[in-house]
Amino acid sequence: MRIGDLAHRTGVSRRLLRYYEEQGLLRPVRMPNGYREYGEPDVAAVRHIRTMLAAGLPTAVIARLLDCVHDDGDRMVPTACPGMVSNLRRERERISATIEQLQTSQRALDTMLASVRPDP
C-alpha cells in the first residue's frame, strides 16, 4: 500500500508518517520509482507508535522499544526485551519529575491569583 493508504488506514497524516520514517520508526520498501510501499506490519507499527507516544515516550525511546511489542487482539503488549523495563522506568521517572515541576508552577500561579485584586 502507498503512504496515502497507510494514512487513511491509521488516521495519521502523510507528513507524520514521513517523520516516523525519518526517525527510524517505519522502514517502508522503496520501489524503483521512489514510492514508499507499506504492508500490514506497518499498520500495526503505526498503532504501536501512537500508543507509545500517548504514554509520553519520545521517538528515540520508541525506536529502541518498537520491536519489543506485538498485538494481542486489539491491544499492544510489550515483551521483556533487554532494556525494556529500564527504559520504561526511566521514562516514568522523567514524566513524574515533569508532573512535580508543573504542580509547583501551578501552586505558584494559584498563590499569585489568590493575591491579585479583581479589576474594578
Side-chain angles (χ1 to χ4, degrees):
M1 81 183 82
R2 295 234 182 106
I3 194 167
D5 299 322
L6 182 62
H8 179 73
R9 297 253 326 257
T10 61
V12 174
S13 71
R14 294 173 189 204
R15 182 173 181 230
L16 199 48
L17 293 172
R18 287 185 198 99
Y19 173 75
Y20 293 165
E21 182 181 354
E22 289 172 11
Q23 298 300 304
L25 303 176
L26 291 176
R27 296 174 199 92
V29 174
R30 286 290 188 155
M31 305 305 287
N33 61 7
Y35 289 162
R36 296 167 177 89
E37 185 68 28
Y38 297 93
E40 287 303 315
D42 295 307
V43 175
V46 171
R47 279 197 314 269
H48 298 161
I49 292 164
R50 300 302 295 168
T51 298
M52 288 190 269
L53 284 169
L57 298 178
T59 56
V61 172
I62 294 171
R64 291 193 299 269
L65 302 180
L66 192 55
D67 291 334
C68 298
V69 297
H70 65 277
D71 282 335
D72 182 20
D74 290 337
R75 64 187 186 106
M76 183 188 83
V77 179
T79 56
C81 289
M84 170 68 90
V85 172
S86 63
N87 274 290
L88 292 178
R89 283 188 178 143
R90 184 173 39 256
E91 290 306 313
R92 188 179 191 290
E93 289 171 12
R94 180 186 61 78
I95 290 169
S96 292
T98 301
I99 290 170
E100 287 177 25
Q101 290 170 348
L102 289 170
Q103 288 173 332
T104 298
S105 296
Q106 184 179 38
R107 285 190 296 273
L109 286 171
D110 288 345
T111 300
M112 285 189 270
L113 284 169
S115 65
V116 173
R117 293 183 185 169
D119 292 333

